[in-house]
Amino acid sequence: MTIPSVFLEIIDIYHSGGAVLERISMSRMQQLKQAGSTGTPLYFSREQSKFYLYPYPTSGTVTLNYYAEFDAFASDSTETIMSKLASDVIIYAALTYAATY
């Protein structure tokens, strides 16, 4: 799995065939990978821009829940996901700065 460009931190990773995957160290992952098992994943580890799963999934869906950063405003006419979903947060944040005047 490749990490999305807006990725900040993992919330959890789970497979459609089982429970939430447990994070393990890369050294432990390398030991497990030598067995070459396939099936429902139980573990994951991260190395730079990739996640590794063990055992390797042969079917199903892997879901990554993560914290992401919002895109910056490019101009006054640009909307971001944050401005569409939580415009009240932006308004109240602006009002806290305006209140000093």
Side-chain angles (χ1 to χ4, degrees), residues 30-88:
Q30 294 302 327
Q31 292 171 350
L32 291 172
K33 282 174 58 177
Q34 291 188 8
S37 296
T38 59
T40 301
L42 301 172
Y43 307 105
F44 78 93
S45 62
R46 178 181 174 190
E47 183 179 51
Q48 296 181 358
S49 65
K50 297 195 184 275
F51 287 111
Y52 294 95
L53 307 176
Y54 181 84
Y56 187 80
T58 54
S59 64
T61 304
V62 176
T63 303
L64 169 65
N65 292 322
Y66 60 94
Y67 296 106
E69 60 185 344
F70 291 105
D71 297 328
F73 285 108
S75 68
D76 287 341
S77 63
T78 303
E79 281 189 326
T80 66
I81 293 173
M82 177 72 163
S83 64
K84 290 179 184 177
L85 297 178
S87 59
D88 54 337

Side-chain angles (χ1 to χ4, degrees), residues 9-46:
E9 183 181 350
I10 298 170
I11 297 171
D12 58 17
I13 299 175
Y14 61 93
H15 185 266
S16 59
V20 175
L21 279 63
E22 178 184 343
R23 186 176 196 154
I24 59 173
S25 67
M26 185 53 78
S27 60
R28 177 77 175 126
M29 178 62 74
Q30 294 302 327
Q31 292 171 350
L32 291 172
K33 282 174 58 177
Q34 291 188 8
S37 296
T38 59
T40 301
L42 301 172
Y43 307 105
F44 78 93
S45 62
R46 178 181 174 190

